[in-house]
Amino acid sequence: MPDKAPEIRSSIILKIILPVIIGLGVVVWLFYKEFSIEALSSIHFTPYAWFCIFLALLAVFARDFGMAWRFRILTDGDLRWSRAANVTMLCEFTSAITPTSVGGSALSMIFLNREGINIGRATTLTMTTLFLDQLFFVISIPVMFLFVPYKDLFGFGTREFIDGVKIVFWIIYGIIALWAVILFLGIIARPKAIRQFLIWLFSFKLLRRWLPSVTELADNMVLTAHSLRNRNFRWWLRGFAATAFSWTGRYLVVNALFLGFVPEASQITVFARQFVVWELLMFSPTPGGSGLSEWLFKEYYGDLISGAGVVFVLAIMWRLLSYYIYLIAGIFLLPSFLKHQKK
């Protein structure tokens, strides 16, 4: 068999070019509109700022550790740490090069199978991780509102922007909650009933084009339910704890950056706004939320920062740590991963 790694690498690089161009293009456009030498000169990379950047890197590590830990828990330790880390990085990479409504989690069954997990079990694990992610959002967002005033999330900026953010936020939250309920019923409570309902619903003419995909999803739910039937509460609790740990690490990247460059900002407000940002990015049409992420960060965090220059620098550092780092890692990981199936 000829070595296809160079071809794969070239294909990956082509997929990376588009989101990079979109993201950098938006940053350049925003700089052009609001750039100020005076604001940029207010940024100081002091030893304390560098220490906070180091804390941001630790948060990135916590994010990836949490995902790998979850794979370890859900496979009952059958997936070694190194292989769990590989699956984690590849999931993040595919999320970075696909629209975030697709994401990398849905492809984790392929990566798990390549790491020696049979396809049936890998499907079960993928459905379980999807459910845990949705459950985290459904639970954590109401909890967030217990500690953060509503006005700190939706009571600033231009009315048009904030009204739009509020509407989209609650629509997406409703979709997430509905999806969580469907997954709960489909993989835990009533899998056969949900399967019959989904197939009936998508048999109507307007929805029939999606029937094959929905049928496959419904069949996977039934398979998953059978595999999860004997799982105890402790197993679920540990899986949810790893999920929460990973998402919290993802959010704390921004907290660390604000601590270093905007220490006067409320840390709990910075943290809470990440729930809104990441929820909005779940349905971004661009690969990895490119363009939308940079613009949203500037608009949504701008009231906490004095000076457009600081906003842009923080946005770029945030994207480097939460996005571009996975693009770079994927360039080197994916070709060899596809070439050599693990045993």
Side-chain angles (χ1 to χ4, degrees):
M1 292 291 292
D3 183 7
K4 295 185 177 181
E7 296 179 18
I8 296 173
R9 189 183 298 271
S10 298
S11 175
I12 293 169
I13 292 174
L14 288 175
K15 290 181 180 294
I16 289 171
I17 290 174
L18 178 60
V20 170
I21 289 175
I22 294 173
L24 293 181
V26 169
V27 170
V28 170
W29 175 67
L30 291 173
F31 256 106
Y32 174 76
K33 285 184 63 181
E34 304 186 34
F35 178 74
S36 166
I37 291 292
E38 292 76 15
L40 198 60
S41 65
S42 66
I43 302 171
H44 303 289
F45 285 86
T46 63
Y48 175 73
W50 282 110
F51 173 71
C52 291
I53 292 174
F54 172 72
L55 292 180
L57 287 169
L58 287 181
V60 172
F61 173 78
R63 162 187 175 170
D64 297 333
F65 173 82
M67 288 188 65
W69 180 30
R70 183 170 69 175
F71 283 125
R72 289 271 297 167
I73 291 169
L74 299 185
T75 60
D76 301 310
D78 292 341
L79 198 66
R80 295 201 305 264
W81 277 108
S82 59
R83 295 188 176 187
N86 281 342
V87 174
T88 294
M89 296 302 292
L90 288 166
C91 286
E92 293 292 347
F93 172 69
T94 50
S95 291
I97 62 172
T98 58
T100 49
S101 55
V102 177
S105 296
L107 297 175
S108 61
M109 70 177 70
I110 299 173
F111 303 138
L112 286 164
N113 181 241
R114 290 281 187 166
E115 293 291 359
I117 304 296
N118 71 67
I119 192 63
R121 191 181 182 192
T123 300
T124 296
L125 295 173
T126 298
M127 297 294 292
T128 305
T129 58
L130 288 173
F131 171 65
L132 289 172
D133 283 334
Q134 310 313 305
L135 183 64
F136 172 77
F137 271 92
V138 170
I139 293 175
S140 61
I141 286 176
V143 172
M144 173 190 69
F145 282 111
L146 294 177
F147 297 94
V148 181
Y150 194 79
K151 63 180 178 61
D152 288 348
L153 298 175
F154 303 114
F156 60 93
T158 63
R159 182 172 181 179
E160 294 79 6
F161 171 73
I162 290 301
D163 284 348
V165 167
K166 281 194 296 186
I167 292 170
V168 175
F169 173 82
W170 288 115
I171 289 174
I172 293 177
Y173 181 76
I175 294 172
I176 291 173
L178 177 61
W179 181 223
V181 170
I182 292 173
L183 285 172
F184 172 76
L185 295 173
I187 70 176
I188 298 175
R190 301 291 300 277
K192 292 182 179 178
I194 289 297
R195 180 184 184 278
Q196 292 173 351
F197 170 74
L198 289 175
I199 290 176
W200 170 80
L201 179 64
F202 282 84
S203 296
F204 287 97
K205 187 174 181 180
L206 290 175
L207 303 176
R208 197 171 297 160
R209 58 182 293 189
W210 294 289
L211 181 59
S213 297
V214 170
T215 301
E216 181 180 0
L217 171 65
D219 290 340
N220 287 337
M221 285 183 177
V222 174
L223 175 66
T224 299
H226 178 75
S227 300
L228 297 178
R229 186 169 299 164
N230 297 321
R231 292 298 184 179
N232 57 33
F233 179 74
R234 183 174 179 272
W235 184 84
W236 283 104
L237 186 62
R238 292 176 66 218
F240 184 79
T243 302
F245 188 88
S246 178
W247 278 102
T248 301
R250 189 186 303 253
Y251 297 161
L252 287 177
V253 172
V254 175
N255 280 87
L257 295 176
F258 266 80
L259 194 63
F261 295 91
V262 195
E264 66 275 11
S266 167
Q267 283 291 308
I268 190 169
T269 300
V270 172
F271 183 77
R273 289 189 185 185
Q274 280 289 284
F275 284 89
V276 179
V277 168
W278 281 102
E279 185 179 305
L280 295 178
L281 292 178
M282 281 185 177
F283 286 83
S284 168
T286 60
S290 295
L292 176 61
S293 299
E294 293 80 1
W295 173 81
L296 185 59
F297 188 94
K298 182 261 175 185
E299 293 292 330
Y300 199 51
Y301 280 104
D303 68 303
L304 300 177
I305 305 171
S306 59
V310 181
V311 176
F312 296 134
V313 169
L314 290 186
I316 291 170
M317 287 194 292
W318 171 57
R319 289 295 281 170
L320 283 172
L321 294 172
S322 65
Y323 178 69
Y324 290 107
I325 191 173
Y326 297 108
L327 287 179
I328 296 169
I331 293 174
F332 298 99
L333 267 179
L334 192 58
S336 60
F337 184 80
L338 294 174
K339 182 179 178 181
H340 303 291
Q341 181 172 348
K342 307 295 186 211
K343 302 297 182 181

